[in-house]
């Protein structure tokens, strides 16, 4: 009969893909948390005394990252502050903001909600309407990524945070590796990893503590832990190539259950060589408008703002 390989509990909830271990609820939570804490030490994602800013959307990945980073905060290893960015997407973001707020409250983690509207004077919905009117066909994700990055850097500076953490998981990371490889974006590959550092001191170091945890395990972790999470997908999410790659990998995983780990491991081995050969010039300048990193006079956020003020 099946029972937990660690404690003998007959109620197992998962057979781990990597180790083949069968685990009960308690032992699964424990093993997964230990794995993340192990990775944080292994990749030196945080140092004692760091102040970490976590991007907390309210989705399962960021809620799990919050719970585990809070563990380090309670042990006085790091200081932690969470930020939820409200892009202004009607019918979607509000629920995420509320769930993020409740999770931070339960754990007693300092939490800020920063909106596009307050920072830039418009919502993402308004940007997309304006784009349609002016016959521009940029994808919402382009704007969203640029303005979110700007806000993260700004809030990190305001809060005195020296690390920015995100909830990227194994599936996200494997998809990014394969996408960039297949599209020939070798420069982008040089930036994939558990920890990004830039020569530009204006950039805050970014860390991904959940990078080696499969998305399914994260879903199970938050359910097993009784945590409230936002399951809705963004209505603008139309990254169709990523979706194709995701389906392709999950199809492969049926017969090759550890394919995501081997993709990640293989990539991590060749990454130093790719980096040596293909590391491009990081923007070394400073935006004349806002002081954020920029390759020209204006950073990308300020270039968009200028474009719209000219409309
Ligand atoms: Zn057990
Ligand atoms: Zn700027």
């Amino acid at each position: 009969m099946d029972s937990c390989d660690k404690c003998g509990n007959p109620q197992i909830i998962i057979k781990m893909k990597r180790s083949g271990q069968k685990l009960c609820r308690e032992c699964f939570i424990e093993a997964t948390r230990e794995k993340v804490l192990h990775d944080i030490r292994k990749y030196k994602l945080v140092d004692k005394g760091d102040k970490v800013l976590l991007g907390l959307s309210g989705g399962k990945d960021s809620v799990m990252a919050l719970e585990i980073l809070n563990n380090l905060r309670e042990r006085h290893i790091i200081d932690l502050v969470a930020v939820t960015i409200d892009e202004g997407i009607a019918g979607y973001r509000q629920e995420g903001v509320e769930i993020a707020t409740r999770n931070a409250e339960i754990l007693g983690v300092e939490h800020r909600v920063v909106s596009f509207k307050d920072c830039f004077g418009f919502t993402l919905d308004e940007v997309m309407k304006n784009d349609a009117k002016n016959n521009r066909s940029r994808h919402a994700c382009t704007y969203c990524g640029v303005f979110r990055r700007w806000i993260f850097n700004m809030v990190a500076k305001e809060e005195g945070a020296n690390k920015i953490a995100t909830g990227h998981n194994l599936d996200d990371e494997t998809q990014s590796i394969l996408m960039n490889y297949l599209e020939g974006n070798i420069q982008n590959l040089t930036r994939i990893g558990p920890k990004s550092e830039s020569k530009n001191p204006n950039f805050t170091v970014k860390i991904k503590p959940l990078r080696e945890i499969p998305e399914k395990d994260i879903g199970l972790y938050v359910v097993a832990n009784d945590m409230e999470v936002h399951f809705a997908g963004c209505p603008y999410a139309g990254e169709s190539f990523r979706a194709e790659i995701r389906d392709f990998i999950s199809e492969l995983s049926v017969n090759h259950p550890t394919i995501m780990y081997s993709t990640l491991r293989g990539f991590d081995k060749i990454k130093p060589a790719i980096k040596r050969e293909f590391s491009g010039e990081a923007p070394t300048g400073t935006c004349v408008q806002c002081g954020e990193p920029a390759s020209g006079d204006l950073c990308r956020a300020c270039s968009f703002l200028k474009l719209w003020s000219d409309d």
Side-chain angles (χ1 to χ4, degrees):
M1 202 180 81
D2 277 352
S3 59
C4 176
D5 287 332
K6 282 203 167 165
C7 72
N9 184 334
Q11 281 190 303
I12 59 162
I13 63 165
I14 189 174
K15 185 174 183 221
M16 302 293 278
K17 273 192 180 166
R18 224 161 37 110
S19 59
Q21 263 185 334
K22 299 186 293 286
L23 297 175
C24 72
R25 176 176 160 269
E26 298 283 312
C27 293
F28 166 74
I29 292 173
E30 169 88 12
T32 307
R33 185 182 293 134
E34 281 309 313
K35 162 75 176 143
V36 177
L37 292 170
H38 170 86
D39 290 344
I40 291 175
R41 282 191 298 272
K42 180 177 169 191
Y43 297 110
K44 298 187 171 60
L45 301 190
V46 301
D47 296 305
K48 195 170 164 49
D50 275 353
K51 183 160 186 182
V52 178
L53 173 70
L54 171 69
L56 181 65
S57 66
K60 60 185 185 326
D61 308 291
S62 65
V63 168
M64 176 174 169
L66 176 75
E67 198 251 359
I68 292 184
L69 290 173
N70 183 55
N71 184 279
L72 296 175
R73 182 186 72 98
E74 285 179 335
R75 285 154 55 198
H76 305 289
I77 297 169
I78 61 167
D79 199 2
L80 180 63
V81 52
V83 63
T84 304
I85 298 180
D86 179 355
E87 306 89 352
I89 304 172
Y92 163 70
R93 179 49 74 202
Q94 197 46 41
E95 198 191 348
V97 169
E98 286 162 14
I99 291 170
T101 305
R102 282 198 286 274
N103 275 293
E105 240 168 46
I106 290 168
L107 299 175
V109 174
E110 187 192 337
H111 179 229
R112 288 178 57 179
V113 179
V114 181
S115 69
F116 278 19
K117 189 84 183 172
D118 289 343
C119 276
F120 311 111
F122 53 77
T123 65
L124 188 63
D125 286 343
E126 287 165 359
V127 170
M128 297 320 288
K129 256 186 224 139
N130 183 53
D131 254 24
K133 204 177 69 199
N134 289 288
N135 295 316
R136 277 191 291 262
S137 55
R138 272 202 190 86
H139 204 278
C141 300
T142 307
Y143 296 128
C144 200
V146 167
F147 290 112
R148 288 171 65 90
R149 215 165 17 251
W150 191 95
I151 291 179
F152 274 130
N153 272 312
M154 189 269 296
V155 175
K157 250 174 254 176
E158 281 184 3
E159 295 291 332
N162 62 328
K163 302 269 165 73
I164 292 174
T166 57
H168 288 99
N169 59 44
L170 178 65
D171 298 54
D172 299 328
E173 198 79 338
T174 312
Q175 288 157 17
S176 296
I177 292 167
L178 204 51
M179 278 169 70
N180 281 305
Y181 180 71
L182 293 177
E183 289 184 314
N185 297 327
I186 306 301
Q187 289 247 329
N188 286 357
L189 284 177
T190 66
R191 287 191 286 271
I192 292 176
K195 185 178 177 182
S196 76
E197 274 165 296
S198 167
K199 283 166 206 135
N200 190 329
N202 263 333
F203 274 115
T204 308
V205 176
K206 301 207 176 51
I207 58 171
K208 298 177 193 163
L210 306 185
R211 182 180 185 250
E212 299 194 5
I213 310 296
E215 191 181 340
K216 269 191 186 147
D217 290 13
I218 293 176
L220 189 57
Y221 186 91
V222 295
V223 169
N225 241 329
D226 270 333
M227 293 189 284
E228 186 195 11
V229 300
H230 190 213
F231 273 110
C234 176
Y236 287 119
E239 268 192 284
S240 59
F241 187 57
R242 182 177 285 271
E244 284 175 63
I245 293 292
R246 185 193 59 218
D247 295 346
F248 171 65
I249 296 174
S250 75
E251 209 171 289
L252 274 179
S253 295
V254 174
N255 289 328
H256 310 271
T258 56
I259 199 89
M260 286 196 285
Y261 290 108
S262 51
T263 304
L264 192 77
R265 288 283 169 255
F267 171 74
D268 285 353
K269 274 185 203 145
I270 58 169
K271 190 188 157 187
I274 301 178
K275 221 176 154 181
R276 265 197 311 276
E277 285 293 316
F278 299 102
S279 249
E281 287 294 300
T284 47
T286 305
C287 174
V288 295
Q289 285 289 332
C290 72
E292 288 299 316
S295 28
D297 284 348
L298 291 178
C299 71
R300 286 193 75 197
C302 290
S303 315
F304 283 136
L305 291 173
K306 187 174 179 302
L307 176 74
W308 296 325
S309 69
D310 294 345
D311 275 345

